Amino acid sequence: MKHRIVVLGAGYAGAYAAGVLGRRLSPEDTEITVVNAEPDFVQRLRLHQFAAGQEIEAPKLTDVLAGTGVRLRVARVTAVDPERRVVEVADGEGGGEIAYDTLLYALGSRVADGGVPGVGEHAHDVAGRASALRLRERLDVLERRGEGGRVLVVGDGLTGIETATEIAESRPGLSVTLVARGELGARLSAGARDHLRRACERLGVEVVEHAEVVAVEAARVVCADGTVLASDATVWTAGFAVHPIAAASGLEVTEEGRIVVDRQMRSVSHPEVYAAGDALHVIGDNGRPLPMSCASAGYTARQAVGAIVGGLTGREVPRVKLEYVANHISLGRRDAIFQFIDGEGNAKPKCLRGRRAARLKAVVLKGSLWGTSHPTFGMPQRRLRVTVASAAFAERAERAAV
């Protein structure tokens, strides 16, 4: 009887974790399945580039997981039942249930409408490949018209800034407006804010500050002060939220629906469940909740894998640093900001700007893809035997013996 490990989601956290688990644990003792809605690995960090019209690599997950022994199930997760220890999925064949002894929840996040009417019906987003493709197709239509279509990007967080500047650079025939709820780049250092403004001016991005969007319509958005902004394509980047599956499952979650875990990424309510990436709530080394980010996905995935492997093999569980040290903001392909962050989560005066920062961001993007596709590079090839049965496995073995 093998210990069944199921990984939900194959983004930056899930794909890496599944690959490492497959390499580090003996196939004689474990059966590892990763469930993902798409057959490809999606570089979410580059979806704004994809939407702008660039070709972005999307390797097959079967290639990413080749040689690990991990099974790929292309299906959409519809529910998790931690009491029965099963996951419900839906696919082209009707779906079914997948049982587990250990679950790693890494379903990530999706766009949040903030309760604003019309976002779901009329706005585009770059939170997933399918939605980014729809935006790309809409921008293609606007360009073919040759009438200078108006693109409105709502939200001046990192995603909003990158999306607005990328579209403006890649599609100069379109008019791009960035709507900021407060001051543009308010969380950046003074030098970074100045550089951001100059970049927007250089690219022709109009910035509307101190504007709260309260409604999105087919050809315009309405602001709280009554201002109306015309739009041929509205892109919503004003926040992200986790999937509601975790909250519906009975796992202990925050008000936002993020799974509450301990320092080992283990659910505080259900010890057979671990989490990684955007879906969890964990306190970082600075005493503050770790933010949603690719860096956080990497840290939490490594810690979760270390805890699972250590727990099953009786080895010491490593302590991975949980830190957040910088923001990388692309401003088109040849410009960027690398903003350093202090221990309190605030911007340091120091930052990198311009082509040097753009080259560094390119290295980060390439490294994220390479690291996910080669999760066990440099690791020992010897696979570890399971020596400690989890409570779930022991209970299943006892039932089977009756």
Side-chain angles (χ1 to χ4, degrees):
M1 183 179 293
K2 296 183 179 183
H3 189 97
R4 303 165 302 185
I5 301 174
V6 175
V7 180
L8 303 184
Y12 291 104
Y16 170 85
V20 174
L21 288 170
R23 286 289 193 187
R24 300 300 292 133
L25 295 172
S26 171
E28 296 182 38
D29 304 322
T30 56
E31 177 183 291
I32 304 171
T33 303
V34 60
V35 183
N36 198 62
E38 298 185 46
D40 305 324
F41 174 73
V42 176
Q43 296 191 68
R44 185 169 178 177
L45 288 175
R46 303 186 68 180
L47 285 179
H48 62 288
Q49 294 175 241
F50 179 70
Q54 299 163 36
E55 294 306 317
I56 304 301
E57 185 180 357
K60 296 292 183 183
L61 284 171
T62 50
D63 295 335
V64 171
L65 298 170
T68 64
V70 174
R71 301 178 181 180
L72 172 63
R73 176 73 180 271
V74 179
R76 181 172 54 87
V77 178
T78 58
V80 174
D81 187 340
E83 304 305 326
R84 295 173 52 227
R85 301 189 186 101
V86 297
V87 175
E88 297 179 16
V89 300
D91 57 20
E93 300 178 358
E97 292 185 342
I98 303 174
Y100 66 83
D101 298 305
T102 296
L103 179 71
L104 178 54
Y105 188 107
L107 288 180
S109 59
R110 59 184 183 179
V111 70
D113 62 17
V116 175
V119 172
E121 296 83 0
H122 304 299
H124 299 272
D125 68 75
V126 292
R129 185 175 175 85
S131 57
L133 178 59
R134 287 192 292 272
L135 172 59
R136 176 177 176 147
E137 292 170 344
R138 176 58 178 165
L139 298 179
D140 288 343
V141 170
L142 295 179
E143 278 198 325
R144 286 196 294 269
R145 288 179 181 176
E147 300 175 356
R150 298 161 297 189
V151 180
L152 198 67
V153 180
V154 180
D156 67 325
L158 307 189
T159 302
I161 292 170
E162 292 192 325
T163 301
T165 53
E166 199 75 49
I167 293 174
E169 181 179 89
S170 298
R171 299 175 184 262
L174 301 180
S175 173
V176 180
T177 299
L178 178 60
V179 181
R181 187 163 187 168
E183 178 187 1
L184 177 65
R187 298 184 63 183
L188 301 176
S189 63
R193 286 197 302 272
D194 289 343
H195 186 82
L196 173 58
R197 288 187 182 279
R198 289 196 298 272
C200 288
E201 292 173 0
R202 172 176 58 82
L203 294 169
V205 177
E206 180 184 359
V207 179
V208 177
E209 297 178 281
H210 306 289
E212 179 184 358
V213 174
V214 295
V216 177
E217 299 176 4
R220 67 177 193 171
V221 302
V222 181
C223 299
D225 63 359
T227 301
V228 174
L229 302 173
S231 174
D232 295 305
T234 299
V235 188
W236 189 264
T237 66
F240 295 92
V242 297
H243 294 273
I245 293 173
S249 72
L251 294 167
E252 183 171 334
V253 299
T254 64
E255 290 184 3
E256 297 80 21
R258 300 172 74 182
I259 300 171
V260 181
V261 299
D262 61 18
R263 188 57 174 72
Q264 294 189 8
M265 308 303 128
R266 197 172 195 173
S267 165
V268 298
S269 62
H270 293 78
E272 270 71 45
V273 177
Y274 294 78
D278 289 351
L280 61 73
H281 171 88
V282 67
I283 302 302
D285 294 343
N286 63 355
R288 299 172 179 273
L290 210 61
M292 293 182 180
S293 72
C294 179
S296 298
Y299 298 142
T300 56
R302 287 196 295 272
Q303 184 62 75
V305 167
I308 292 171
V309 172
L312 292 178
T313 63
R315 283 167 166 74
E316 182 179 353
V317 175
R319 185 179 178 87
V320 177
K321 287 185 177 181
L322 300 180
E323 55 187 356
Y324 192 76
V325 297
N327 287 322
H328 318 119
I329 311 170
S330 297
L331 305 172
R333 293 298 83 218
R334 297 177 296 278
D335 194 3
I337 296 170
F338 190 92
Q339 176 66 68
F340 294 94
I341 305 297
D342 64 21
E344 299 300 314
N346 300 316
K348 292 182 177 180
K350 182 180 179 181
C351 68
L352 299 179
R353 291 162 282 181
R355 288 184 179 272
R356 183 182 177 190
R359 288 194 292 268
L360 180 57
K361 179 64 182 287
V363 170
V364 170
L365 292 172
K366 290 179 181 178
S368 297
L369 176 61
W370 194 92
T372 302
S373 301
H374 302 79
T376 57
F377 179 78
M379 289 187 178
Q381 292 300 306
R382 184 169 61 90
R383 297 189 181 184
L384 306 175
R385 299 299 301 267
V386 173
T387 60
V388 181
S390 70
F393 181 83
E395 179 182 322
R396 182 163 64 93
E398 183 178 349
R399 289 199 306 267
V402 175

